[in-house]
Amino acid sequence: MRHKKQPLQFYYFLMNKAAGEVCSTVSDSHRTVYEHFPADVLESNGAKLHSIGRLDCDTEGLLLFTNDGKLSDFLTRPENKIEKTYFVRLKNLVTEIQQKEYAEQAELGVTLPPEKKFPEQKSNGAKIRWLSADECEITLTEGKFHEVKRIFRALKNEVIYLKRVKFAGLELEESLNPGQFRPLYESEVSRLKRKTKIDKKPDISKKCMRKESRTV
């Protein structure tokens, strides 16, 4: 398991990641997502704050952060089939007939074209819900390198805008501007714990979660 240190207090945050930022702690050419957090949250309590999975530099949207290694380990394992939904805008318009073909092929799994050091590989099934002739939502349960972009490349199209809008049952709200984050609500953390069947009740910092009555 990754992130083996056990903190005295757990933190859980939801960020609307901005395009142009990277999910690494250090970068020579881009701002990192960790620059938004105060130092005492990043470095305190015996375990470092880390993102649960990553988003590409040019991808926006929902990104979770925690210092709870057991939770992040479960949510990032492909065999646990945690759903991730992305809003996609495509370069080429897709007719209604093509939309049906795209959805059928994606659900069966497509052969992802090679990219950088990653070879040609088969994707698991993905669900596409069309919003218009060039916009859709796609839901995956895995996270291969540049997978959404490669799925649509395999379907002879190109992703020109990508934003994650849902992850593990949580949804990105419009009130969060790019680069902003908030603590998870108590009910959201409880839902994640139930999803992962993590029964242990940690000593959770009051700074890391919100009460339901408070507004974002």
Side-chain angles (χ1 to χ4, degrees):
M1 177 181 291
R2 294 161 288 179
H3 314 295
K4 292 183 179 179
K5 291 183 179 179
Q6 291 298 314
L8 298 176
Q9 297 176 327
F10 287 88
Y11 294 97
Y12 306 91
F13 298 103
L14 185 155
M15 174 183 283
N16 182 5
K17 178 192 170 296
E21 297 185 351
V22 295
C23 297
S24 57
T25 55
V26 178
S27 174
D28 293 331
S29 55
H30 295 88
R31 184 175 185 176
T32 80
V33 293
Y34 295 97
E35 293 179 42
H36 295 285
F37 294 96
D40 62 331
V41 172
L42 289 172
E43 300 293 339
S44 68
N45 305 325
K48 292 184 178 180
L49 192 76
H50 56 273
S51 64
I52 301 180
R54 295 189 173 200
L55 294 175
D56 298 335
C57 180
D58 61 349
T59 301
E60 301 177 9
L62 195 160
L63 188 62
L64 296 181
F65 292 82
T66 188
N67 57 359
D68 185 341
K70 190 172 183 179
L71 177 65
S72 61
D73 186 74
F74 185 94
L75 293 177
T76 52
R77 287 185 178 272
E79 61 267 27
N80 293 328
K81 299 186 182 302
I82 303 300
E83 289 192 344
K84 313 167 186 70
T85 300
Y86 298 81
F87 170 81
V88 179
R89 185 173 296 126
L90 297 169
K91 181 177 181 180
N92 302 315
L93 297 178
V94 183
T95 67
E96 290 186 5
I97 293 176
Q98 290 173 323
Q99 289 177 16
K100 184 177 180 181
E101 293 173 349
Y102 275 38
E104 290 175 348
Q105 291 180 58
E107 191 162 10
L108 291 173
V110 300
T111 300
L112 303 174
E115 185 167 345
K116 295 186 177 180
K117 64 179 180 180
F118 295 88
E120 183 177 275
Q121 54 191 151
K122 184 78 170 179
S123 70
N124 289 338
K127 297 179 181 179
I128 296 178
R129 183 174 74 90
W130 288 98
L131 306 173
S132 68
D134 63 345
E135 294 180 343
C136 66
E137 287 186 347
I138 184 169
T139 300
L140 316 172
T141 58
E142 60 177 354
K144 292 185 172 73
F145 182 74
H146 288 181
E147 185 165 8
V148 174
K149 297 173 184 177
R150 292 165 73 194
I151 286 174
F152 285 100
R153 280 176 55 199
L155 297 172
K156 310 302 181 186
N157 213 321
E158 180 182 346
V159 174
I160 60 173
Y161 178 77
L162 187 61
K163 181 177 184 177
R164 185 155 70 188
V165 294
K166 297 177 184 178
F167 176 60
L170 302 180
E171 190 167 351
L172 182 67
E173 59 264 48
E174 294 181 1
S175 59
L176 276 183
N177 293 322
Q180 290 185 329
F181 67 92
R182 65 164 177 83
L184 292 188
Y185 292 107
E186 293 178 2
S187 62
E188 292 173 327
V189 174
S190 296
R191 288 208 312 270
L192 290 176
K193 294 288 185 179
R194 288 196 298 270
K195 184 183 294 290
T196 59
K197 298 185 174 73
I198 297 173
D199 297 321
K200 182 180 178 181
K201 295 182 179 180
D203 178 14
I204 300 174
S205 168
K206 292 182 179 179
K207 295 189 296 181
C208 78
M209 295 195 302
R210 287 176 175 245
K211 298 289 184 179
E212 292 305 305
S213 60
R214 295 178 60 186
T215 59
V216 176

